[in-house]
Amino acid sequence: MTTTESTLDRPASPPAFQPVSGARKTKNLVATVLVGLAFLVAVVPLVWLLITVVAKGFTALLSADWWTHSLKGVLPEEFTGGVYHAIIGTLLQTLVCALIAVPVGVLAAIYLVEYGRGRLARTTTFMVDILSGVPSIVAALFVFALWIGTFGLGQSAFAVSLSLVLLMLPVVVRSTEEMLRLVPQELREASYALGVPKWKTIVKIVLPTALSGVVTGVMLAMARVMGETAPVLVLVGYSKSINFNIFDGNMTSLPLLIYTELTNPLPAGQLRVWGAALTLIILIMLFNLVATVVSRFSAIKTK
Amino acid sequence: MAKRIDVKDLNIFYGKFHAVDGVTLAVPPRSVTAFIGPSGCGKSTVLRSLNRMHEVTPGARVEGKVLLDGEDIYASSVDPVEVRRTIGMVFQRPNPFPTMSIRDNVVAGLKLAGVSNRKQLNEVAERSLRGANLWAEVKDRLDKPGGSLSGGQQQRLCIARAIAVQPDVLLMDEPCSALDPISTLAIEDLIGELKKDFTIVIVTHNMQQAARVSDQTAFFNLAGVGQPGKLVEIDDTEKIFSNPNQQATEDYISGRFG
Ligand SMILES: Nc1ncnc2c1ncn2[C@@H]1O[C@H](COP(=O)(O)OP(=O)(O)OP(=O)(O)O)[C@@H](O)[C@H]1O
Ligand SMILES: [Mg+2]
């Protein structure tokens, strides 16, 4: 009897949409909480780090001397002087590195994408893979052995730049390669169909189309090597004064200054450490910002 | 201007794969020849071998002859770049150069060949855009990027770009397959006008289009999967569509397969 009743009570056909089951609600909740936690784990240390650096180094950046003076003649306990020499050092070493790594890297990427076939291309790709896995200290040691050991040349900022090249090159090759591969084959063929030779197609059609991405990749790679510390510890000496000569003499960069001032336990030294750290972060952020602006600016317009 | 093409015993290979077998056909100057046939039978492959564009594909090679007014474009002394300048191409999807303005797109071929005279470039741009029936629509925004046009306009821009270098022959691979009916009509009208000056070969999947625009039609077919494509027959379009010599052609045209 009861069965008949319940059958009669039921609607003729079941509703199309069932309510969300309890099990699914629980799963959803668990997943949401897990994702939220993972997000916190990722973000909290980052924010914490930024707050620490800003809190401890901020006051150093407020004086005009910080941006315009070196530490020449400044005693360990004095709060005067600045990191102008280290900013110059960091920028010079990165710039010289980029001057070498960008042409070589972009040309290598062009070779790989546009011409590379067979064994040479495979070998190049393999080498780039290996290079991108080389730790910075190993790159520094290699340049040390070659430049200072084999060639008998002295420590210099240029040696630092050379080892930075080893670190920057694979990044430039990779990012440029990716950007060039994004250029549709049809554009190349359209150019060939106009009777444009291959090299001209690459220079005038393919590269301009990929330019924005290539520039962004280069800027990010520069920002990346800017903070490299191992090469400056191994390949160049510390100096308290300004040096523009990359081939001769000691040249301080921000990482080197931080490392050196760490041995100074006085409050002035600590302030310089955190101030330089904050300066380095700002410098790298500026580069990333410029990368964004440049890529916006050179991006392909459709309006 | 407007040269004839003679294809003799053309075999085309992608590496070891024999894609097209023994094509022989003739395209008279100032005419439109349509290539039709089921997908994969080698229409694009044959078309691309007419201006050596297939050489862009690694491993692709041809055997046989393609004569442009009697001159073999595969002769060892011939520069493929020169061949492609003489035999232009329009592709399936409109592909204006994204970094260039409408005007620069049209004169890209000349500019990249070293022409820098502004007056001459402007003249060529206007003449080509008029030739492609696009002038009225874009004359007030020549400095806007090529990508800002509609798909149909972009395709006509690509045609303007192709005719700006004054080729002898224009190859078109399904130029309307990405376009709406109105734009398609505009391009078909254009083809009718262009054939006064150029020799045109067009690949199309649209039977009505082949019937509307072409003077002669070539039907390609495929014996089976993995087999090379073959030219079944080539004849006056009217004949092909009313009374073809081969049963396979009639079956294909009447929609019995393909
Ligand atoms: N780049 C390539 N590498 C190897 N094989 C290819 C290549 N391009 C085309 N083929 C092969 O050659 C044959 C002919 O292809 P093709 O593109 O010429 O056909 P189609 O007639 O133009 O077809 P559709 O109508 O679909 O465009 C096919 O079997 C195809 O798989
Ligand atoms: Mg095709």
Side-chain angles (χ1 to χ4, degrees):
Chain A
M1 269 292 110
T2 43
T3 31
T4 335
E5 256 182 61
S6 72
T7 316
L8 286 176
D9 283 344
R10 269 211 310 264
S13 62
F17 300 106
Q18 308 288 332
V20 178
S21 72
R24 242 182 67 200
K25 268 188 192 147
T26 329
K27 276 187 214 157
N28 185 37
L29 187 71
V30 170
T32 312
V33 169
L34 278 181
V35 170
L37 275 179
F39 175 73
L40 280 185
V41 167
V43 160
V44 164
L46 201 74
V47 174
W48 194 352
L49 180 146
L50 274 180
I51 291 178
T52 312
V53 176
V54 171
K56 297 198 175 195
F58 182 63
T59 44
L61 272 59
L62 293 178
S63 89
D65 279 4
W66 179 262
W67 304 100
T68 53
H69 283 66
S70 72
L71 288 174
K72 196 174 176 183
V74 177
L75 296 174
E77 68 271 21
E78 282 180 328
F79 278 93
T80 54
V83 295
Y84 176 67
H85 61 312
I87 295 177
I88 291 294
T90 292
L91 288 180
L92 264 183
Q93 288 163 12
T94 311
L95 219 66
V96 171
C97 158
L99 282 183
I100 302 170
V102 170
V104 175
V106 169
L107 287 176
I110 290 179
Y111 167 76
L112 285 178
V113 176
E114 307 290 338
Y115 294 94
R117 297 265 131 65
R119 179 172 276 168
L120 183 56
R122 277 202 301 278
T123 317
T124 313
T125 310
F126 183 63
M127 288 307 182
V128 171
D129 278 345
I130 302 243
L131 207 53
S132 61
V134 169
S136 57
I137 184 73
V138 177
L141 283 179
F142 169 71
V143 173
F144 186 86
L146 197 75
W147 188 255
I148 295 163
T150 311
F151 295 156
L153 298 158
Q155 285 190 326
S156 68
F158 189 67
V160 173
S161 297
L162 283 185
S163 70
L164 292 182
V165 165
L166 293 179
L167 300 172
M168 187 172 173
L169 202 54
V171 185
V172 173
V173 173
R174 266 295 132 74
S175 66
T176 308
E177 211 186 328
E178 234 159 76
M179 288 305 137
L180 292 180
R181 285 196 203 283
L182 280 182
V183 176
Q185 184 62 22
E186 295 154 17
L187 285 187
R188 298 184 179 88
E189 292 188 355
S191 173
Y192 298 150
L194 296 173
V196 181
K198 182 165 182 171
W199 68 270
K200 223 173 205 179
T201 300
I202 294 170
V203 175
K204 299 280 190 174
I205 306 290
V206 179
L207 275 183
T209 307
L211 187 69
S212 140
V214 172
V215 172
T216 312
V218 165
M219 300 297 278
L220 292 179
M222 283 173 84
R224 163 89 185 61
V225 296
M226 222 173 233
E228 282 298 346
T229 311
V232 297
L233 297 186
V234 177
L235 294 167
V236 73
Y238 175 77
S239 156
K240 285 184 147 195
S241 48
I242 302 163
N243 175 15
F244 280 101
N245 187 348
I246 56 162
F247 293 104
D248 196 28
N250 296 338
M251 186 191 285
T252 304
S253 52
L254 287 165
L256 185 54
L257 183 131
I258 295 171
Y259 183 79
T260 311
E261 288 292 337
L262 267 179
T263 55
N264 176 357
L266 301 172
Q270 292 308 298
L271 183 61
R272 279 197 280 273
V273 167
W274 290 104
L278 184 56
T279 310
L280 186 58
I281 291 178
I282 291 176
L283 219 59
I284 291 174
M285 261 169 46
L286 273 181
F287 255 77
N288 286 338
L289 203 73
V290 171
T292 318
V293 170
V294 167
S295 91
R296 281 262 167 83
F297 193 71
S298 58
I300 287 156
K301 295 166 192 68
T302 52
K303 281 276 123 55
Chain B
M1 284 273 84
K3 294 183 173 164
R4 64 176 288 116
I5 303 176
D6 291 283
V7 179
K8 287 191 179 148
D9 239 343
L10 194 69
N11 285 281
I12 311 173
F13 304 85
Y14 288 106
K16 289 207 177 67
F17 177 59
H18 192 178
V20 177
D21 182 40
V23 170
T24 298
L25 54 83
V27 179
R30 295 194 182 77
S31 71
V32 179
T33 299
F35 286 2
I36 60 171
S39 191
C41 67
K43 305 175 298 291
S44 301
T45 303
V46 172
L47 192 78
R48 290 163 63 84
S49 70
L50 297 183
N51 71 344
R52 299 181 66 164
M53 191 59 86
H54 71 284
E55 290 174 4
V56 173
T57 311
R61 68 196 163 82
V62 307
E63 287 167 8
K65 281 200 165 95
V66 176
L67 306 177
L68 185 67
D69 265 7
E71 202 186 330
D72 187 0
I73 66 167
Y74 284 103
S76 57
S77 60
V78 172
D79 177 4
V81 170
E82 213 30 59
V83 170
R84 294 187 198 126
R85 221 207 55 57
T86 325
I87 306 178
M89 195 160 202
V90 175
F91 299 81
Q92 183 167 359
R93 275 197 298 162
N95 52 1
F97 299 130
T99 53
M100 296 185 190
S101 68
I102 292 172
R103 185 204 325 265
D104 285 348
N105 256 289
V106 178
V107 295
L110 291 182
K111 264 188 144 171
L112 293 180
V115 178
S116 60
N117 182 329
R118 265 206 87 80
K119 193 158 161 273
Q120 188 190 349
L121 289 177
N122 284 341
E123 275 169 22
V124 171
E126 176 168 351
R127 174 156 34 87
S128 309
L129 284 169
R130 281 187 194 282
N133 284 341
L134 190 59
W135 177 251
E137 287 152 75
V138 301
K139 65 174 190 288
D140 300 321
R141 46 174 177 155
L142 291 171
D143 294 317
K144 291 267 154 50
S148 67
L149 298 173
S150 77
Q153 290 172 327
Q154 285 186 23
Q155 193 62 306
R156 276 179 283 151
L157 179 64
C158 292
I159 294 177
R161 179 176 69 185
I163 61 179
V165 294
Q166 301 203 297
D168 299 327
V169 179
L170 213 50
L171 309 175
M172 301 182 169
D173 194 348
E174 302 184 37
C176 303
S177 64
L179 305 182
D180 67 288
I182 307 254
S183 308
T184 301
L185 214 60
I187 297 215
E188 285 180 10
D189 287 345
L190 177 56
I191 291 172
E193 281 168 40
L194 289 175
K195 84 172 184 187
K196 289 180 203 139
D197 298 311
F198 303 93
T199 307
I200 295 174
V201 182
I202 176 173
V203 173
T204 174
H205 272 289
N206 180 333
M207 235 47 79
Q208 287 81 26
Q209 182 170 67
R212 279 192 301 260
V213 303
S214 71
D215 302 305
Q216 60 169 357
T217 299
F219 171 61
F220 291 80
N221 202 356
L222 201 62
V225 179
Q227 305 270 4
K230 275 185 159 70
L231 173 63
V232 175
E233 64 176 315
I234 175 166
D235 215 324
D236 288 344
T237 298
E238 253 171 66
K239 176 102 171 36
I240 291 276
F241 280 91
S242 58
N243 182 22
N245 288 325
Q246 303 290 327
Q247 186 61 40
T249 315
E250 187 163 348
D251 289 350
Y252 181 72
I253 288 169
S254 56
R256 267 191 277 267
F257 80 96

